[in-house]
Amino acid sequence: MPMFLSHCVLNVLVLITAGTAVLYRAYLYIQLESQNSSKTVPAIDDSRRIFASEPAKAALASGKAFKIKRCILHAAPIAVTIWILVFNGRGVYWRDEGFDYQNPILQALQYLAKVHELLMGASLAEIALHRIHYDLCASDGLPLGLVTAAYQVSSITYLITPEFCEAWSFPLGIRALLSRLSLLTLLVVIYLLTAVLGPSSAVAMIPRLDWWDHRNPYPEGPERAFMRYKPLDLWPSSITKELIHPGCADTHSPDAEYCPYSGYEIVSEWVGAHQNQGQGPNLTIPNHGSVTRHLGTIYQGPKSEGWTVSSTVGYKEAWDIGAFWQYNVQQSRAVAQLSRPRIAPAFLDATPIKKPLVLVECAGQYSWDPRNVELPHRFLQEPEFPWKYDSSNFQSQPTFRTLFPNATNATQEHQGQVPTAFAWINTSLIADGPSLGAIFAINTPNTSVTLIPCSISAWWTPASPYLDPNSDLVIQEDTPNPLETSTQTSAQWTPITTISTDWADTMNLNFTDANGRESTYIAHMMERYNDDSSSPIVFAEPGYGQESIPWRVSTALGLYLTETLARVQSTFWNGTVLCHTDASGQEEVYILGNLNAQDPRWWPEGMSFVDYAQREGWAEVRFQVRRYGYGWGFRGLPIKLAAVVLVLQALLGVVHVGFIVFGGWSVKAWSTMGEMLVLAVNSRPAEKLKGMGAGVRDERTWREMVKIREMKDRRLELVLDGGLPPDEMEIGLRPRKGRRYL
């Protein structure tokens, strides 16, 4: 119904606007015919005259009919402007994309915007004409160059002509100075507004294709979701082994998607398939809820600098969004019937949903002392990140033998016999240090061992996940690029101060490769970078040497650790509860992810589920729904600039209506340039303008003050200061209201 009403209102306004213009022109035509019928036609006694003379008529008027006529010119554009601004201010949604006759209707609105532009232009021209007529008739006059200013407001080039520029030569006296300055300012504003009326009307009037808030997405009854914990519990600042689900054993379980090691296969497969491409990855990760999400890593600068930033939407958030969409489809809710909905969760208390952001910086140490290994921290001090390391306390001194007890000699030439070695480094004692440290011992092509120490810093950063299910089932977000996320304000970031090594060990399970060699998940994953699968411990890339190793290590480690942190929330295995309340007040409670049946009642009798969830302090989530189509709203700079233009024009029109209604008189004559030309022809030549019949070369001529004055024979003429002797004029007499002139 709202869509139908808006369509009807739009059609009515089109008819009103067009009808107003037609009626106004008809009114002028009837008025002209009535004047012609009352003419007194004297005998033609001059063979040189072709037309009969006209009767005397008033130049100034103040009657009600005259005032109404002048106000009508402002009423139509102001009414359309108010309608446009109200529609945009309310954020009115019109129609889904692809509706019947979409293109013809949008094209018709282009013509309607043009009509609106013409009406606003006529309104502004009337305002300029009123002011110039006032200065000509009721003041000390105005510069000669401004006499025609009101007749060419659509030609912005007038503002750079000598006629206009010479008018900036201000007269003496405060009163005259303020009058001239106000006139010139008004003309500049009117000319500039007229130049942008067309695009402003079109931008504001024509609906835009965008995502719009759905004001009533659940007509069947409210859908309220509750997480059985507080939001901050989802994003702990310290990651310890207590967060691991009891079902996560020391051996890999393919079905345990809530375990830290669950994302290993996907990341490892990417490493093995892209070892020679040197690309920043963007992986698609399958997720519960029949959706997928993106896991991306970005690096900046040379690969030899060895630092990357990785991020992805949380596993549980993606699951809840996908399950909520499945619920709407299964229950045939109105949301599922929209042509293109967009679903996004948001906490009711405005707590932002967050995602893991992991920065890994690795450095290659090709000549090293096993007694002193320093974790890299050069790029972790970039200003876009919310803290800096205290480099004075940043050195850790693990020995190679302590880290890798199975290695017999740190400098031994392994000749393909010893696999890549890996170990975590506890950084909890480093003041203002990273969340975790890691170190690799990697065999390089020259058969030497390179140490790769890595600093790992992690945060929970704000995210805006959403699902556009009719396009794809991929969880999207507003800032998918990790570097764009890292340059956002850090006010709402939650630093992960500590990642314990015992928690990290659960993502690095022991591994036995196809050759029977003992290794670990992470060490084996690094070996997959090798170009030659027959020698899995050689670490090189065609076209790259040792300088690419730190970047390769940080890429793989960042991907895996980010995916692991994204599943931390999955350890809170009590699913999100959805409560639907129908029109009768009956509650239906579901567990998202288990929609086959309603959840049996487990909250106290005599208490609604919503009251129970609120009593327990559970976090309430609202699934906001938007739809893709045409609508009006103040989004973006163009529509805001258009609104400013329309408001300024409307304000000028309203102020001018006030002058007309409450003013004593208004000029009735010279509404066109032709009429002003007739007045000029009927005026006697001015001595100051001699020699200018073929053009004006002296630009100072346009400064000459001109006014309209009453002559002795009841005629009106354009008079230059000093152009006629005083005895030719009624001394100091300006045109008078109600008096008729020949």
Side-chain angles (χ1 to χ4, degrees):
M1 183 63 69
M3 184 183 301
F4 172 76
L5 291 177
S6 64
H7 186 62
C8 292
V9 170
L10 182 61
N11 293 333
V12 170
L13 285 172
V14 172
L15 295 175
I16 290 176
T17 304
T20 301
V22 172
L23 290 175
Y24 179 67
R25 299 306 300 176
Y27 171 79
L28 294 180
Y29 177 77
I30 293 172
Q31 187 183 50
L32 179 61
E33 289 296 316
S34 63
Q35 290 176 355
N36 291 337
S37 64
S38 62
K39 287 180 181 178
T40 300
V41 184
I44 302 176
D45 57 358
D46 188 347
S47 61
R48 292 176 300 175
R49 291 184 59 86
I50 299 177
F51 300 101
S53 62
E54 295 187 8
K57 56 184 72 68
L60 278 62
S62 61
K64 289 184 178 179
F66 174 70
K67 291 182 176 181
I68 292 174
K69 168 189 168 183
R70 299 198 73 176
C71 290
I72 288 177
L73 192 59
H74 299 296
I78 291 176
V80 176
T81 295
I82 292 174
W83 163 73
I84 293 174
L85 295 180
V86 168
F87 266 45
N88 281 280
R90 295 187 59 190
V92 174
Y93 182 79
W94 185 30
R95 304 286 290 273
D96 290 344
E97 182 186 19
F99 61 89
D100 293 340
Y101 307 107
Q102 171 180 300
N103 290 335
I105 291 177
L106 294 177
Q107 292 162 359
L109 288 175
Q110 292 274 7
Y111 288 98
L112 181 58
K114 184 61 179 181
V115 173
H116 185 218
E117 175 197 356
L118 295 175
L119 292 174
M120 290 188 292
S123 173
L124 292 176
E126 180 71 11
I127 296 170
L129 197 62
H130 186 149
R131 175 59 193 272
I132 287 179
H133 285 169
Y134 176 85
D135 283 2
L136 284 171
C137 296
S139 71
D140 295 330
L142 77 163
L144 177 61
L146 297 183
V147 173
T148 60
Y151 303 113
Q152 46 187 329
V153 294
S154 61
S155 177
I156 197 172
T157 56
Y158 171 77
L159 297 180
I160 60 174
T161 60
E163 291 96 319
F164 183 77
C165 295
E166 289 299 321
W168 290 90
S169 177
F170 293 114
L172 298 176
I174 297 298
R175 184 172 178 274
L177 176 64
L178 293 178
S179 177
R180 179 76 61 81
L181 186 60
S182 64
L183 172 60
L184 293 174
T185 302
L186 176 64
L187 289 176
V188 169
V189 171
I190 287 176
Y191 270 76
L192 293 179
L193 286 179
T194 304
V196 295
L197 286 177
S200 298
S201 177
V203 167
M205 182 181 294
I206 299 174
R208 290 166 294 286
L209 186 62
D210 202 349
W211 290 102
W212 303 92
D213 292 333
H214 198 314
R215 298 190 176 182
N216 184 27
Y218 310 116
E220 306 92 346
E223 309 284 0
R224 305 180 69 175
F226 293 87
M227 293 184 176
R228 299 191 221 187
Y229 32 78
K230 298 179 180 179
L232 294 180
D233 293 337
L234 282 171
W235 307 293
S237 59
S238 181
I239 308 298
T240 62
K241 194 170 185 178
E242 286 71 22
L243 297 176
I244 300 174
H245 192 277
C248 299
D250 292 336
T251 57
H252 188 97
S253 174
D255 298 327
E257 296 194 18
Y258 44 83
C259 295
Y261 49 74
S262 300
Y264 169 76
E265 284 87 353
I266 296 175
V267 177
S268 181
E269 286 297 324
W270 178 88
V271 170
H274 295 79
Q275 72 272 20
N276 291 327
Q277 297 184 13
Q279 298 176 343
N282 187 11
L283 282 65
T284 300
I285 308 295
N287 206 100
H288 256 104
S290 300
V291 295
T292 59
R293 53 191 167 82
H294 293 302
L295 169 62
T297 294
I298 297 295
Y299 70 92
Q300 193 171 19
K303 295 179 181 179
S304 59
E305 294 178 345
W307 70 278
T308 58
V309 183
S310 308
S311 70
T312 184
V313 174
Y315 181 87
K316 180 167 179 54
E317 287 85 350
W319 186 352
D320 284 347
I321 297 172
F324 182 73
W325 171 248
Q326 288 181 324
Y327 161 79
N328 281 275
V329 173
Q330 178 177 307
Q331 299 295 325
S332 299
R333 302 298 190 203
V335 172
Q337 311 307 316
L338 297 176
S339 63
R340 190 178 175 186
R342 188 167 108 170
I343 300 172
F347 285 108
L348 195 61
D349 63 359
T351 299
I353 291 175
K354 297 185 178 182
K355 65 177 180 179
L357 179 76
V358 177
L359 188 152
V360 179
E361 181 183 354
C362 298
Q365 297 188 12
Y366 308 105
S367 299
W368 47 273
D369 182 351
R371 296 170 299 176
N372 188 355
V373 176
E374 182 178 357
L375 294 176
H377 57 278
R378 176 184 175 189
F379 296 98
L380 299 184
Q381 298 185 38
E382 289 295 315
E384 62 262 25
F385 292 97
W387 53 269
K388 295 182 179 180
Y389 288 151
D390 183 355
S391 57
S392 62
N393 296 321
F394 204 74
Q395 288 191 343
S396 175
Q397 297 184 348
T399 65
F400 182 83
R401 191 176 300 279
T402 301
L403 291 172
F404 308 115
N406 295 330
T408 58
N409 190 339
T411 59
Q412 174 185 356
E413 293 186 0
H414 296 281
Q415 300 291 341
Q417 300 302 315
V418 178
T420 298
F422 169 80
W424 299 110
I425 298 177
N426 183 359
T427 59
S428 60
L429 299 180
I430 301 177
D432 297 325
S435 308
L436 184 63
I439 189 167
F440 294 83
I442 296 175
N443 293 272
T444 52
N446 61 4
T447 69
S448 64
V449 175
T450 297
L451 281 191
I452 308 291
C454 299
S455 298
I456 301 166
S457 300
W459 298 266
W460 300 112
T461 60
S464 300
Y466 64 87
L467 179 65
D468 180 5
N470 288 355
S471 296
D472 53 49
L473 293 177
V474 179
I475 302 298
Q476 308 284 353
E477 55 177 318
D478 292 338
T479 54
N481 187 327
L483 282 182
E484 291 179 3
T485 303
S486 67
T487 55
Q488 291 178 345
T489 176
S490 60
Q492 295 181 317
W493 289 26
T494 301
I496 301 177
T497 56
T498 303
I499 299 177
S500 67
T501 55
D502 54 358
W503 178 88
D505 284 339
T506 59
M507 60 180 284
N508 189 34
L509 300 181
N510 293 326
F511 176 83
T512 303
D513 64 15
N515 298 322
R517 291 186 300 106
E518 296 293 330
S519 184
T520 64
Y521 272 12
I522 295 177
H524 177 72
M525 182 168 56
M526 296 304 167
E527 292 170 1
R528 297 200 65 177
Y529 268 127
N530 175 41
D531 181 49
D532 183 2
S533 58
S534 63
S535 303
I537 62 171
V538 178
F539 200 105
E541 173 187 3
Y544 289 91
Q546 291 180 331
E547 69 273 7
S548 71
I549 297 177
W551 170 77
R552 291 166 166 275
V553 172
S554 64
T555 298
L557 188 60
L559 280 174
Y560 188 26
L561 188 56
T562 301
E563 176 61 19
T564 302
L565 288 173
R567 298 172 186 261
V568 166
Q569 304 99 316
S570 304
T571 60
F572 299 90
W573 210 243
N574 292 324
T576 299
V577 183
L578 182 68
C579 179
H580 168 76
T581 306
D582 60 23
S584 65
Q586 183 69 31
E587 291 183 335
E588 299 176 2
V589 179
Y590 300 87
I591 301 294
L592 289 181
N594 183 20
L595 301 174
N596 294 327
Q598 293 187 43
D599 200 35
R601 185 180 188 91
W602 40 266
W603 57 95
E605 292 288 343
M607 176 181 289
S608 69
F609 173 78
V610 172
D611 291 340
Y612 172 74
Q614 292 175 341
R615 188 193 72 178
E616 295 296 313
W618 292 351
E620 184 170 359
V621 178
R622 292 288 174 88
F623 287 93
Q624 301 170 340
V625 178
R626 310 184 83 187
R627 48 186 173 177
Y628 193 70
Y630 290 93
W632 293 269
F634 290 115
R635 298 180 184 176
L637 184 60
I639 178 59
K640 294 176 182 177
L641 292 178
V644 171
V645 171
L646 298 183
V647 168
L648 285 177
Q649 187 279 326
L651 287 177
L652 288 175
V654 170
V655 172
H656 189 234
V657 168
F659 277 110
I660 294 173
V661 173
F662 300 104
W665 56 268
S666 295
V667 176
K668 188 177 182 180
W670 316 302
S671 59
T672 66
M673 187 180 291
E675 290 186 349
M676 183 61 69
L677 178 62
V678 170
L679 176 64
V681 170
N682 279 335
S683 302
R684 277 164 282 192
E687 291 293 327
K688 292 184 177 182
L689 300 182
K690 278 188 176 181
M692 299 182 185
V696 179
R697 291 185 178 180
D698 188 355
E699 295 181 354
R700 293 175 296 177
T701 303
W702 301 113
R703 303 180 187 177
E704 294 293 335
M705 298 298 292
V706 64
K707 61 194 74 173
I708 297 177
R709 289 297 180 262
E710 182 179 331
M711 301 295 110
K712 285 185 177 181
D713 55 359
R714 293 185 63 189
R715 291 188 308 106
L716 295 175
E717 292 188 12
L718 279 173
V719 180
L720 262 66
D721 281 349
L724 289 175
D727 60 347
E728 294 290 333
M729 298 185 290
E730 295 287 352
I731 303 302
L733 198 60
R734 301 170 179 175
R736 286 171 279 183
K737 180 180 66 173
R739 187 171 187 178
R740 294 179 178 273
Y741 296 96
L742 293 173

